[in-house]
Amino acid sequence: MRLTKMVAIIAPLTLGGLGSGLLTSCNDFLTIYPTDRIVGTDFWKTKADVDQMVDGAYSSMLSGNIQERAIMWGAFRSDELVKNTDFSSTALDNVSAVNLLPTMGYCSWGGFYSVINRCNIVLRHAPEVMQEDPEFTQGDYDVVRAQMLALRSLCYFYLVRAFRDVPYVTQSYEDDSQINEVAQSSAGEVLQNCLNDLEEASKYIMKSGGYGQNDWRNWGYMTRDAVYALMADIYLWRASMTHDRSDYQQVVTLADRIIQAKDDYYNAYHTNNVSAGDEDDIYHLYTGILAQSQIFITGNSRESILEWQYNGRNNSNETLENYYYQSGTEKDYKSTGMVMASPIFNAVAINANTSQGKKAFYSTNDYRFWNVVYNANNEEAEQLPIRKMVDNSGMTISPLSTTGATKTNSRGFKEYAQNWIVYRITDIMLMKAEALLELADETDRVAQKAAFDLVEVVNKRSMLTSASDLLKFDDFATKSALELLILAERERELCFEGKRWFDLMRYCYRHMNGVNIYQKMGDASNWPALYAPMTEMLGRKSTENGQGSAIAIKMKTEPYLYWPVQESEMKVNSLLKQNPVWIQEKTSEKS
């Protein structure tokens, strides 16, 4: 979607248009207005009008456009996914080979700017309703404003990680007279604006659990824990680029707030579930045998912080279904999805020290090894069907197995009610571990041990407690070894959840010099070189058509980490500047 032509698609904005992705729960909380009811001066009259538009902003996050980019931007570009060889897609082939073309649909940022515009519309008009409806109070408005600031910030964070420099827009676009060209802001400017908005939002947004026990909105809406999680993620990202210790300390502080809040909620509502010896457990993670079903099948678990809610009726996560489960239509479909797990998941490495760079897992005693993919422990497999977020049978494969589960199409094709998890507690724990390690000196083993301890908690819950290959601190004798351990544990824990590419980018940035987040890429004459070990990891993505080696060879400097701006955007907005390496690529192709 073109930013400068956003109104051509969004305006006239009808409430009926929100119905395609409604965040309706089992009790259908949202009433759909007639499709000819135009959002304008005749609309912003009641609290219900505001609530409807807030729900519409959230529902637009469920669009296939955004889910597709969460997978493509955050997972497929990394080493964990490959294109299904049975599926024909030139676009996926090009992404795998680092031929990112400005004509690609994957370069479109329109879905996120659509959500941003919805947030801006609410922020512009909601104050008017306080004058019209006495039931819409200042307190109500403060919560609405906090939610829209937070949701808008999440969209901008996705955009910064995908494009680096992006237009930062706070004005709402509602009619053709408002068309305006907007230049990109630097990554540093956008991130600081987001942090400012999130700090403001944290004062008024509902605390986690504030909607009542087991209410889906505790996970489906931005809550205080979700705001803190997003802030921690942004600080961690910025610190990796700038090497600012104070930003790493912010990550630790925010993670501790989330962990404390989750512990308080658990103790308030799950006192009967605290068994002897668990009184000191502040994380309350599920055991390995329960994690698969509770987190990814039941959903909205006690470990989750923010999940996009799909009920399979008013909305269905068809994009995830097509990419991970099976593609096509109900009558004519492939047996597997468009993308598959890469060979790094087909077998285990010798030990935890050798897993990074070779295999994702280092032990068959890890429940996750068996449960994230089908056909696990098949060393000959060049690609494996994804099981995580696909298999809803509730069956957990025991680490005592010798062969993994066999792929079936037993899950229904219709009503694909699979939530997408944005943040969960183990993600936060590993963010904290990453920050603690960066704050530790090279020789400070006590400080390094604090980071290791968090990794150990996450790892141990998924391992047989009697396993001889539980993580041992002494096996990771250097800070760099611990850094790779955290990176590897994040892949084991968060694979296919849209995290891996961004994790690799942070890892790369921490080892780069000369990065200036306040200098826009289009204005620079040269760019810092990428950290070679990161591109070497990407080289294990696939051996198909030599794509794996192409990644490591082709990616040279910072702009290669980002997508080009879509060509259609460049044509309608003369203020935009293209990612410089893709200009070079285009020139090279012509010469």
Side-chain angles (χ1 to χ4, degrees):
M1 182 185 300
R2 303 170 183 146
L3 176 63
T4 56
K5 299 290 185 181
M6 192 180 298
V7 289
I9 299 176
I10 295 178
L13 182 61
T14 64
L15 288 180
L18 305 179
S20 62
L22 294 176
L23 268 171
T24 41
S25 65
C26 295
N27 57 1
D28 294 331
F29 80 97
L30 186 57
T31 300
I32 305 173
Y33 281 79
T35 57
D36 60 350
R37 181 79 178 273
I38 299 206
V39 176
T41 56
D42 63 333
F43 175 75
W44 297 93
K45 301 296 183 183
T46 68
K47 182 178 183 297
D49 293 339
V50 177
D51 291 342
Q52 177 79 9
M53 291 302 294
V54 170
D55 294 333
Y58 277 108
S59 73
S60 58
M61 287 299 294
L62 307 184
S63 72
N65 182 297
I66 286 181
Q67 178 67 82
E68 181 177 58
R69 279 146 192 79
I71 293 171
M72 291 302 301
W73 294 355
F76 187 76
R77 283 200 71 187
S78 76
D79 54 349
E80 67 183 18
L81 292 175
V82 295
K83 192 203 74 172
N84 182 352
T85 54
D86 291 334
F87 186 81
S88 177
S89 171
T90 301
L92 290 178
D93 287 337
N94 279 327
V95 175
S96 294
V98 202
N99 295 324
L100 305 187
L101 308 176
T103 53
M104 281 181 170
Y106 293 131
C107 297
S108 171
W109 56 29
F112 287 96
Y113 276 110
S114 178
V115 179
I116 288 168
N117 194 56
R118 290 178 184 273
C119 293
N120 289 340
I121 288 172
V122 175
L123 291 168
R124 176 183 177 182
H125 290 291
E128 305 166 6
V129 180
M130 287 189 287
Q131 308 301 318
E132 301 283 345
D133 185 355
E135 291 188 7
F136 187 63
T137 66
Q138 181 67 47
D140 293 329
Y141 168 69
D142 288 341
V143 173
V144 165
R145 178 170 175 267
Q147 294 222 29
M148 295 298 95
L149 290 175
L151 190 58
R152 186 176 73 183
S153 296
L154 177 62
C155 290
Y156 276 123
F157 188 42
Y158 269 106
L159 291 170
V160 166
R161 289 178 294 176
F163 298 96
R164 195 184 194 278
D165 309 323
V166 297
Y168 184 76
V169 184
T170 58
Q171 174 188 358
S172 63
Y173 290 81
E174 302 172 55
D175 61 68
D176 290 336
S177 66
Q178 294 178 280
I179 293 178
N180 187 32
E181 293 187 343
V182 181
Q184 288 126 313
S185 296
S186 69
E189 292 176 281
V190 177
L191 294 178
Q192 187 58 58
N193 286 332
C194 291
L195 289 170
N196 294 342
D197 283 348
L198 290 165
E199 185 64 41
E200 179 71 10
S202 69
K203 302 173 185 176
Y204 304 104
I205 206 158
M206 293 283 283
K207 70 176 183 179
S208 299
Y211 292 100
Q213 188 178 12
N214 298 324
D215 191 304
W216 66 270
R217 289 173 295 181
N218 291 321
W219 299 271
Y221 283 176
M222 297 293 293
T223 61
R224 190 172 300 160
D225 282 356
V227 166
Y228 287 156
L230 177 55
M231 290 179 73
D233 212 356
I234 293 175
Y235 275 119
L236 189 61
W237 183 266
R238 189 170 74 175
S240 299
M241 298 179 79
T242 64
H243 316 306
D244 188 332
R245 290 177 62 87
S246 65
D247 279 359
Y248 282 123
Q249 187 57 58
Q250 287 282 9
V251 177
V252 176
T253 299
L254 290 160
D256 283 341
R257 290 179 187 174
I258 297 168
I259 291 166
Q260 182 64 59
K262 297 288 278 185
D263 185 35
D264 290 343
Y265 183 85
Y266 181 89
N267 290 330
Y269 292 106
H270 300 87
T271 52
N272 293 332
N273 293 337
V274 179
S275 58
D278 285 348
E279 291 83 357
D280 295 329
D281 177 14
I282 61 173
Y283 305 113
H284 311 292
L285 305 183
Y286 295 105
T287 61
I289 201 168
L290 291 176
Q292 164 79 2
S293 61
Q294 293 298 312
I295 298 172
F296 301 109
I297 298 175
T298 302
N300 292 336
S301 74
R302 70 183 186 224
E303 292 190 22
S304 276
I305 296 170
L306 180 63
E307 298 188 19
W308 300 138
Q309 309 285 307
Y310 294 88
N311 64 19
R313 299 184 308 280
N314 305 85
N315 52 66
S316 182
N317 200 343
E318 294 177 359
T319 303
L320 185 146
E321 177 182 35
N322 280 313
Y323 275 85
Y324 286 0
Y325 179 32
Q326 56 189 36
S327 58
T329 65
E330 184 180 12
K331 295 181 180 179
D332 178 23
Y333 58 83
K334 302 286 186 182
S335 60
T336 50
M338 294 162 58
V339 300
M340 305 272 274
S342 77
I344 66 174
F345 293 95
N346 65 11
V348 298
I350 297 172
N351 55 52
N353 259 325
T354 63
S355 64
Q356 185 61 50
K358 295 182 179 179
K359 297 296 179 185
F361 289 92
Y362 68 92
S363 173
T364 57
N365 288 312
D366 193 326
Y367 281 96
R368 297 169 300 184
F369 173 68
W370 303 101
N371 290 317
V372 299
V373 297
Y374 292 103
N375 304 333
N377 216 26
N378 178 4
E379 196 163 3
E380 301 303 315
E382 291 294 327
Q383 54 184 12
L384 301 98
I386 295 169
R387 187 167 188 254
K388 190 177 190 178
M389 294 177 279
V390 169
D391 194 319
N392 66 348
S393 65
M395 178 180 64
T396 295
I397 305 300
S398 169
L400 299 178
S401 301
T402 56
T403 57
T406 301
K407 173 73 166 66
T408 69
N409 289 327
S410 59
R411 182 169 186 170
F413 192 88
K414 292 182 177 179
E415 298 185 355
Y416 200 80
Q418 184 65 51
N419 286 0
W420 177 259
I421 300 175
V422 183
Y423 290 113
R424 54 192 179 96
I425 190 64
T426 49
D427 187 0
I428 304 305
M429 293 166 66
L430 293 171
M431 284 188 201
K432 180 182 175 182
E434 194 171 316
L436 284 173
L437 184 65
E438 293 310 308
L439 288 169
D441 293 335
E442 291 287 344
T443 58
D444 189 347
R445 294 293 281 170
V446 174
Q448 293 173 17
K449 179 66 160 53
F452 172 84
D453 288 345
L454 282 159
V455 179
E456 183 183 36
V457 172
V458 175
N459 181 272
K460 190 174 181 179
R461 75 90 167 260
S462 294
M463 301 280 284
L464 283 180
T465 56
S466 60
S468 61
D469 48 6
L470 294 175
L471 294 177
K472 301 176 184 63
F473 179 60
D474 289 343
D475 290 342
F476 303 90
T478 64
K479 184 175 177 178
S480 60
L482 286 166
E483 181 186 25
L484 288 173
L485 171 65
I486 294 170
L487 186 63
E489 190 62 33
R490 282 187 63 85
E491 179 161 41
R492 287 188 282 269
E493 178 68 15
L494 304 168
C495 60
F496 319 136
E497 296 181 46
K499 305 284 184 178
R500 177 65 173 176
W501 174 253
F502 303 138
D503 289 351
L504 289 173
M505 287 181 73
R506 288 198 312 276
Y507 171 68
C508 186
Y509 269 125
R510 283 198 300 271
H511 297 275
M512 291 170 59
N513 295 314
V515 175
N516 183 350
I517 64 172
Y518 291 100
Q519 178 174 283
K520 290 181 277 189
M521 285 195 300
D523 297 336
S525 58
N526 54 67
W527 314 279
L530 296 182
Y531 183 50
M534 181 263 202
T535 57
E536 289 167 8
M537 287 182 204
L538 293 175
R540 66 187 187 168
K541 178 181 176 73
S542 175
T543 56
E544 177 189 357
N545 298 324
Q547 292 172 352
S549 59
I551 295 173
I553 294 171
K554 189 169 187 177
M555 295 187 68
K556 301 171 185 176
T557 57
E558 183 184 2
Y560 279 98
L561 296 172
Y562 298 97
W563 293 81
V565 178
Q566 194 170 51
E567 190 172 75
S568 59
E569 300 283 351
M570 300 293 297
K571 289 179 179 179
V572 298
N573 187 348
S574 63
L575 299 181
L576 294 179
K577 292 187 177 181
Q578 184 57 275
N579 181 326
V581 301
W582 306 121
I583 295 176
Q584 292 175 353
E585 292 295 322
K586 188 174 182 180
T587 302
S588 298
E589 288 175 5
K590 290 181 178 179
S591 60

